[in-house]
Amino acid sequence: MTTTPNPLRDPRDKRLPRVAGPSVLVLFGVTGDLSRKKLLPAIYDLANRGLLPPGFSLVGFARREWENQDFRQLAYEAVKEHARTPFREDVWTHLAEGMHFVPGEFSDPGAFDALAMAVKELDTTRGTGGNYAFYLSIPPKFFPQVIEQLRRSGLAEHGPGSWRRVVIEKPFGHNLDSAKELNRTVHRVFPEESIFRIDHYLGKETVQNILAMRFANTMYEPIWNRSYVDHVQITMAEDIGIGGRAGYYDGIGAARDVIQNHLLQLLALTAMEEPTSFSADSVRAEKAKVLSSVRLPADLGRATARGQYAAGWQGGEKVRGYLEEEGIPLDSRTETYAAIKLEIESRRWAGVPFYLRTGKRLSRRVTEVAMVFQRAPHLPFSHTDTEELGQNALVMRVQPDEGITVRFGSKVPGTAMEIRDVNMDFAYGESFTEHSPEAYERLLLDVLIGDPPLFPRQEEVELSWEILDPIEEYWAEHGKPEQYKSGGYGPESADLLMARDGRAWRRL
Ligand code: BG6
């Protein structure tokens, strides 16, 4: 038999790729945004990279009177529009053969019985070996119901030598109590090793690179502490608004949507100690240690800021404000921007503030972690020569321009000793020929392989809610978020938060 060489694989790369074993992925919420924009394209990309087994099967479950063909059509359009890798007819045809659809309501036991029969049949026809992953890409209010249906229909039980896994999309609860409750619900049916809580930021190459950079090198570690670092800024700025997600977003807001998970995970990876190994337990334990040492400043009025986007201009287009978005109540107090100052009580970080900010409809999309260093204790140059000199910074650029920047002072060419900031850059695109996989490619593959280090465990989820809950309670009692102009830099109160500490946000 001749095999078509995979054009995506560099022939010099002799490492064995991690390939998933026989399995079925059952996707709940196939018609949703996440499924169309991220999950279905990522499954195709995995197939295209040769990382799925030959009999891999994908079962979509949703409340539509659909045949397999309709599901395949939806997936085809999603792949055509959003896949990262080039479209190959042979890969698609093979993948589509393994795609099936089961119609039904989450409340309908009959639909889950039909699902159980469908996956069983796939075991026979496609050799999927009784290995099923259930991906819950659905509104959180349905989690308990679907989990219970999986139990009742026997789908959660596996025979010897096979596995069942459940993937839970964020948000995992909306505060500490509900996160605990949800955990109890899932645990009634699935053991901990079968539960994969998704935080897609951990699937990003640049986020994993924070650990590579810190722990595979020697030169950063000596300065990675309170003796050298002045403060840390973690930014996740988006230029988009809430799009069609009013139903999900309103009442949740920026802090619950991304600080509780993505930004606190970035903080944990930046601040954690070196794990004893890269096993799931060691990495998660170190992250949990950092999260448990996070302290909120006493005065939350001064240490937090929040805003809501007003109408404005973005990319040459007029855009509407949050309160004018479809489905948002006119008196909504949901924040679309949040900034928080945190401290970490540890020998390494005592006295070093970590500033976190995120917002929608800002001037540009950028996610980064910036370590800003203390000023040199003494400058032997005349004051006027160093006027434009800022603080040294090491910036881990998560997206979109992936890489690392080191910012430092350098002599301006000329006869005087004038010193100005310059950047030294590492860019993924220039150093590596391979493009970074999408976060969901990595995470879906990890689920099918059963590799959990990139999935937060319950302890981290709960610790993150413990950090956020007092802030949410404070905000609930203290008025409305400040309006900020779309296409700008966020609310003034966020600038004030920094100014009070004699600092400023990095420019977006
Ligand atoms: C999601 C949030 O988790 O992350 C969205 O719910 C946000 O509100 C998205 O837009 C951003 O993801 P990325 O990968 O584009 O930074």
Side-chain angles (χ1 to χ4, degrees), residues 47-121:
N48 205 3
R49 292 164 65 205
L51 301 178
L52 296 181
F56 173 79
S57 304
L58 176 68
V59 177
F61 184 102
R63 213 175 22 186
R64 304 260 168 125
E65 284 307 315
W66 272 3
E67 302 290 331
N68 291 343
Q69 200 41 45
D70 302 300
F71 175 41
R72 289 177 191 159
Q73 184 59 29
L74 168 108
Y76 177 78
E77 282 160 22
V79 166
K80 275 282 190 168
E81 194 174 349
H82 300 290
R84 181 181 65 84
T85 59
F87 188 79
R88 286 173 53 191
E89 202 66 50
D90 55 335
V91 172
W92 167 254
T93 309
H94 186 72
L95 186 64
E97 278 164 11
M99 290 172 66
H100 299 264
F101 187 75
V102 176
E105 304 270 346
F106 298 144
S107 57
D108 176 11
F112 282 80
D113 292 340
L115 177 64
M117 278 175 50
V119 287
K120 232 187 162 132
E121 200 177 318

Side-chain angles (χ1 to χ4, degrees), residues 328-340:
I328 301 295
L330 273 178
D331 59 351
S332 170
R333 293 181 168 204
T334 300
E335 84 284 353
T336 59
Y337 179 107
I340 300 176

Side-chain angles (χ1 to χ4, degrees), residues 91-359:
V91 172
W92 167 254
T93 309
H94 186 72
L95 186 64
E97 278 164 11
M99 290 172 66
H100 299 264
F101 187 75
V102 176
E105 304 270 346
F106 298 144
S107 57
D108 176 11
F112 282 80
D113 292 340
L115 177 64
M117 278 175 50
V119 287
K120 232 187 162 132
E121 200 177 318
L122 290 172
D123 288 341
T124 319
T125 55
R126 296 183 58 87
T128 42
N131 301 317
Y132 315 146
F134 304 104
Y135 197 120
L136 273 52
S137 174
I138 53 177
K141 64 175 182 218
F142 295 119
F143 289 165
Q145 197 173 25
V146 171
I147 301 243
E148 171 52 24
Q149 293 279 22
L150 291 175
R151 186 199 62 75
R152 195 208 49 80
S153 57
L155 274 164
E157 267 167 54
H158 63 95
S162 63
W163 51 257
R164 301 295 144 96
R165 294 179 189 135
V166 63
V167 186
I168 314 241
E169 257 300 333
K170 61 166 266 281
F172 200 92
H174 59 270
N175 58 18
L176 180 59
D177 289 344
S178 55
K180 284 184 172 167
E181 178 57 36
L182 174 57
N183 196 45
R184 280 192 290 271
T185 304
V186 187
H187 265 282
R188 263 179 234 130
V189 180
F190 292 97
E192 179 62 25
E193 66 272 16
S194 306
I195 306 172
F196 289 71
R197 301 171 187 84
I198 286 252
D199 182 324
H200 81 278
Y201 263 57
L202 296 180
K204 291 183 190 273
E205 287 288 327
T206 41
V207 172
Q208 292 161 42
N209 196 36
I210 297 177
L211 296 185
M213 198 194 92
R214 293 192 55 201
F215 302 127
N217 300 298
T218 49
M219 63 187 192
Y220 303 114
E221 179 55 22
I223 55 170
W224 213 260
N225 55 53
R226 68 188 305 274
S227 307
Y228 292 90
V229 178
D230 175 70
H231 70 280
V232 180
Q233 294 189 20
I234 303 183
T235 299
M236 175 186 169
E238 295 187 280
D239 49 5
I240 52 169
I242 55 155
R245 297 165 79 219
Y248 157 76
Y249 199 86
D250 199 59
I252 295 256
R256 285 192 177 102
D257 183 36
V258 300
I259 292 187
Q260 188 272 344
N261 35 76
H262 308 330
L263 268 62
L264 284 176
Q265 285 290 326
L266 288 176
L267 173 139
L269 295 171
T270 305
M272 71 188 234
E273 298 300 319
E274 182 176 304
T276 45
S277 75
F278 260 76
S279 70
D281 278 350
S282 310
V283 175
R284 289 153 146 188
E286 291 304 337
K287 283 194 289 169
K289 232 158 75 185
V290 176
L291 293 171
S292 63
S293 0
V294 168
R295 291 291 166 267
L296 292 174
D299 186 348
L300 289 180
R302 293 167 70 86
T304 69
R306 71 201 152 122
Q308 197 178 59
Y309 62 80
W313 287 86
Q314 207 156 33
E317 261 179 49
K318 202 163 168 41
V319 293
R320 44 188 175 182
Y322 181 73
L323 298 178
E324 290 116 49
E325 298 277 20
E326 218 176 299
I328 301 295
L330 273 178
D331 59 351
S332 170
R333 293 181 168 204
T334 300
E335 84 284 353
T336 59
Y337 179 107
I340 300 176
K341 172 183 172 182
L342 301 172
E343 271 152 29
I344 298 176
E345 289 187 336
S346 68
R347 177 170 287 244
R348 187 189 281 271
W349 296 117
V352 177
F354 282 66
Y355 300 96
L356 277 48
R357 67 173 159 163
T358 183

Side-chain angles (χ1 to χ4, degrees), residues 10 27 94 153 163 213 252 311 325 392 433 449 455 480:
D10 183 338
L27 196 50
H94 186 72
S153 57
W163 51 257
M213 198 194 92
I252 295 256
E325 298 277 20
N392 295 167
T433 48
I449 291 177
F455 298 82
K480 294 182 184 168

